[in-house]
Amino acid sequence: MKHIHPKEFKITVPFRLKDIPTDIDNKATEDEKKEALREISKELGNLQDKMYANNRYSVLIVLQGMDTSGKDSLVKQVFKNFNARGVVVYSFKQPTSAELEHDYLWRHYIVLPEKGKFAVFNRSHYENVLVSRVHPEILLNENLPGIESEKDIPKDIWEQRYKQINHFEKHITQNGTIVLKFFLHISKEEQRQRLLRRLELPSHNWKFSPADLDERQMWDEYQQYYEETINATATDEAPWYVIPADDKRTARVLVAKAILKELEKYNFHEPEVNEEVLENINKYKKKLQNEKE
């Protein structure tokens, strides 16, 4: 799968979502895709160990996508070779009452990754310019000053939030958090097939919610707002990738490869060994060996 280049899907100029395919013909077999992901995932795990020892940077992976786009399974497969101490996954649901007592970015700030670690936001702060835009009544729960009903919502609130998100991401990148954002781009037909599969397979019934069908009715709105959001928040320090995701295995390889290519730029390495330890390493070894005798 060497001919797949994730940089082709990195957003660097204004784009139209409909111009990016949801599926690509990579001419790879299923076994080749599995092997490619296995190798990249192993490399990522080794790189994360070095980053942990280096203790200067952290990594935030943002995953967004329509329902059924494959976010959960991608997390499971891409990060399976990580040391458990090195990656934490957060799936942001409806804000709690405590979270609503703070601004919308607060609950994301408090779970940012520690230095040396990865955090994966499975859905993220971007829900506040996507779901909240499709359902503006959600904003009423935030108790924002001057907003008592939907008619009070300022027309420029989304542009304000784009700027706030850009400032948030710039702030954390300047303080050592590497931010990479991925939109898993599926077709409406592929979503229909995946929802049907959830209904047809008893073992998948639990994944289905009638709300999925309600949200599907607003497909075009979501596509429009995703396009606007990505165009407004794709920056050099926090890039967006729009990943063709009709084929889950191809999407996983693309995401894993994109992460690896971005992190290789940092040339992570273990810290230098203390000079005293180096000078006395044979003495320490002998001491431990003598304990056994």
Side-chain angles (χ1 to χ4, degrees):
M1 296 188 67
K2 293 182 179 179
H3 57 284
I4 296 182
H5 300 291
K7 66 180 181 180
E8 297 175 13
F9 305 102
K10 186 176 182 178
I11 304 304
T12 56
V13 296
F15 81 111
R16 294 187 303 175
L17 198 53
K18 67 179 182 179
D19 292 337
I20 296 183
T22 59
D23 198 7
I24 53 176
D25 182 11
N26 53 62
K27 297 181 173 59
T29 66
E30 296 303 295
D31 285 342
E32 288 172 336
K33 295 172 191 175
K34 287 182 182 179
E35 179 61 20
L37 181 59
R38 188 192 69 79
E39 291 178 1
I40 299 170
S41 181
K42 185 177 180 180
E43 288 185 66
L44 280 174
N46 291 334
L47 190 150
Q48 192 277 322
D49 284 339
K50 293 180 180 179
M51 191 182 81
Y52 182 84
N54 183 260
N55 198 39
R56 289 294 182 273
Y57 291 92
S58 59
V59 178
L60 173 61
I61 304 298
V62 172
L63 295 179
Q64 289 289 151
M66 299 293 287
D67 293 331
T68 77
S69 59
K71 298 182 294 298
D72 292 334
S73 60
L74 185 146
V75 171
K76 181 178 179 181
Q77 296 298 323
V78 170
F79 298 98
K80 64 182 178 182
N81 286 316
F82 274 52
N83 188 312
R85 71 184 180 186
V87 59
V88 181
V89 181
Y90 298 97
S91 296
F92 293 98
K93 307 297 184 181
Q94 183 176 339
T96 65
S97 58
E99 289 169 343
L100 287 171
E101 292 301 313
H102 300 269
D103 70 271
Y104 71 94
L105 287 173
W106 178 81
R107 65 175 181 159
H108 306 287
Y109 257 116
I110 62 175
V111 293
L112 287 172
E114 303 170 25
K115 292 187 185 301
K117 297 187 178 183
F118 277 63
V120 181
F121 284 3
N122 183 351
R123 297 191 184 275
S124 66
H125 44 292
Y126 282 97
E127 296 294 283
N128 297 281
V129 289
L130 293 164
V131 176
S132 295
R133 192 168 182 185
V134 175
H135 301 284
E137 66 274 10
I138 291 175
L139 289 177
L140 303 182
N141 296 326
E142 296 184 24
N143 296 322
L144 295 171
I147 299 180
E148 303 297 333
S149 65
E150 287 186 45
K151 64 180 178 60
D152 298 323
I153 298 173
K155 292 182 179 180
D156 65 346
I157 192 170
W158 310 115
E159 286 72 20
Q160 291 176 18
R161 290 200 165 186
Y162 292 151
K163 291 178 182 178
Q164 291 162 0
I165 288 171
N166 284 338
H167 290 156
F168 163 62
E169 291 176 350
K170 185 172 184 178
H171 169 69
I172 64 176
T173 57
Q174 289 177 335
N175 285 275
T177 299
I178 301 165
V179 181
L180 300 172
K181 303 174 295 193
F182 299 92
F183 172 60
L184 302 185
H185 186 31
I186 63 171
S187 65
K188 192 173 184 180
E189 173 59 20
E190 179 62 23
Q191 188 196 60
R192 186 180 74 87
Q193 294 292 342
R194 292 182 185 182
L195 288 172
L196 275 173
R197 201 171 304 129
R198 290 181 177 182
L199 292 170
E200 292 169 349
L201 295 176
S203 61
H204 284 54
N205 288 169
W206 66 272
K207 294 183 178 182
F208 181 81
S209 168
D212 295 337
L213 299 183
D214 295 333
E215 292 298 286
R216 181 172 165 79
Q217 297 304 308
M218 290 168 279
W219 178 275
D220 292 340
E221 287 181 76
Y222 274 110
Q223 298 297 297
Q224 176 189 342
Y225 298 148
Y226 262 114
E227 181 180 301
E228 291 182 15
T229 295
I230 294 170
N231 276 322
T233 59
T235 62
D236 290 339
E237 58 266 15
W240 271 107
Y241 289 81
V242 176
I243 302 294
D246 278 0
D247 181 83
K248 288 186 177 182
R249 288 202 173 98
T250 297
R252 293 166 192 162
V253 173
L254 283 171
V255 169
K257 187 178 286 190
I259 296 171
L260 181 63
K261 293 299 181 184
E262 289 283 356
L263 298 188
E264 283 177 340
K265 299 175 184 177
Y266 290 83
N267 192 28
F268 296 124
H269 58 274
E270 295 86 354
E272 294 183 7
V273 180
N274 183 286
E275 189 173 319
E276 180 183 354
V277 173
L278 282 176
E279 290 177 355
N280 295 281
I281 196 164
N282 289 327
K283 181 177 74 173
Y284 299 143
K285 285 168 58 178
K286 187 174 180 180
K287 184 176 181 179
L288 289 167
Q289 290 165 349
N290 288 340
E291 281 185 15
K292 184 177 180 180
E293 297 173 2

